[in-house]
Amino acid sequence: MNSGLLGIVIGAAVLLLLLMAAVKIVPEYERGVIFRLGRIIGAKGPGLFVIIPVVDRMVRVSLRTVTMDIPPQDVITKDNVTVRVNAVTYFNVVDPNRSVVAIEDHIKGTSQIAQTTLRSILGQVDLDELLINRDEINQRLQRIIDEVTNPWGVKVTLVEVKDVELPEPMRRAMARQAEAERDRRAKVIHAKGEYEAAETLADAADRLEGHPAALHLRILSTMAEISAERNSTLIFPLPMEILRLIDMFRQPQTPVGAEKSGAERLTMDKS
């Protein structure tokens, strides 16, 4: 009696274990790749499904996007500058079957190919291109890595270069270059301002020359500004015509009567 009851209990336990092994529940972001006697029969899920215990084996594959940091890499650029670059890549599985069959570990494989591709691509560009055309370099990295991982059922959606660490001498040289460029721009702007000011003054001089009254008004305005500062010296400009007229009156003139008396005296001496 007891042995029969024990056998029933053991059979129920075995049946329960087989049922638990047969019933699988896969969430929405995963798929279950089923192998039957070592041969792949496809991916199932999401939701509830049944497999054959012992005969079937299930491998869970996540379809969510993986954010993976690419470790810092020492790269020698095309112009022989050593930089240290790190990046980040985003990828996800689009074919669960190939991600299990084609590669042993698709996450590790994607990481390794991202590191080697980063060193290879950055070694083909100059430092200035790396600092300026980063978007184009990111697109090249994404395209090349995606071509390699596509047979694995992995889609690389984005690759971003995060940081570029420059050697200290290179940083100082770039700082001096930037400072020199700012000085050059300041001098060019100052020279353009002087040129425009000279042109404006030349136009103003031409207009004042054609309107003498305006010139006098400008002189009076300048005198008012000077007198407002309470200076002890006041400069009063005079037109050149007035100065020439004053100089003409200051020159000594010989009297007409004196010239005649001198001539008469000479005549008398000769006689």
Side-chain angles (χ1 to χ4, degrees), residues 184-204:
R184 184 189 69 84
R185 292 180 181 179
K187 292 179 180 178
V188 170
I189 293 173
H190 180 72
K192 289 183 178 179
E194 292 290 339
Y195 178 77
E196 293 177 358
E199 285 188 338
T200 304
L201 289 175
D203 294 340

Side-chain angles (χ1 to χ4, degrees), residues 87-146:
V88 61
T89 179
Y90 298 83
F91 63 91
N92 63 288
V93 175
V94 294
D95 190 341
N97 296 333
R98 286 189 295 170
S99 68
V100 176
V101 176
I103 188 171
E104 181 179 0
D105 187 348
H106 66 275
I107 296 180
K108 182 179 179 181
T110 304
S111 174
Q112 293 298 319
I113 195 64
Q115 295 179 35
T116 55
T117 305
L118 181 66
R119 290 195 297 267
S120 176
I121 295 300
L122 298 187
Q124 301 174 8
V125 299
D126 296 332
L127 178 61
D128 293 339
E129 185 178 356
L130 174 60
L131 297 176
I132 298 174
N133 299 329
R134 189 169 296 185
D135 291 339
E136 181 181 350
I137 294 175
N138 292 336
Q139 293 176 4
R140 291 176 58 187
L141 290 171
Q142 183 270 333
R143 184 174 62 254
I144 294 174
I145 298 174
D146 184 60

Side-chain angles (χ1 to χ4, degrees), residues 16 40 105 116 139 149 163 218 220 229 239-240:
L16 180 61
I40 187 170
D105 187 348
T116 55
Q139 293 176 4
T149 60
D163 188 21
R218 181 58 183 166
L220 294 176
E229 298 179 357
M240 293 301 298

Side-chain angles (χ1 to χ4, degrees), residues 3-13:
S3 60
L5 182 60
L6 181 61
I8 294 174
V9 172
I10 293 174

Side-chain angles (χ1 to χ4, degrees), residues 199-269:
E199 285 188 338
T200 304
L201 289 175
D203 294 340
D206 292 339
R207 297 200 176 193
L208 290 175
E209 185 179 1
H211 301 278
L215 177 61
H216 293 309
L217 290 176
R218 181 58 183 166
I219 293 172
L220 294 176
S221 176
T222 305
M223 292 175 59
E225 293 176 359
I226 295 175
S227 62
E229 298 179 357
R230 299 181 180 179
N231 292 327
S232 59
T233 303
L234 180 61
I235 301 174
F236 189 80
L238 292 176
M240 293 301 298
E241 291 78 4
I242 297 178
L243 295 178
R244 292 193 187 98
L245 186 59
I246 294 174
D247 186 64
M248 184 183 300
F249 281 109
R250 290 180 58 186
Q251 291 180 358
Q253 297 181 358
T254 305
V256 179
E259 292 179 356
K260 289 183 178 179
S261 60
E264 292 177 354
R265 186 181 302 109
L266 181 60
T267 306
M268 293 174 61
D269 292 338

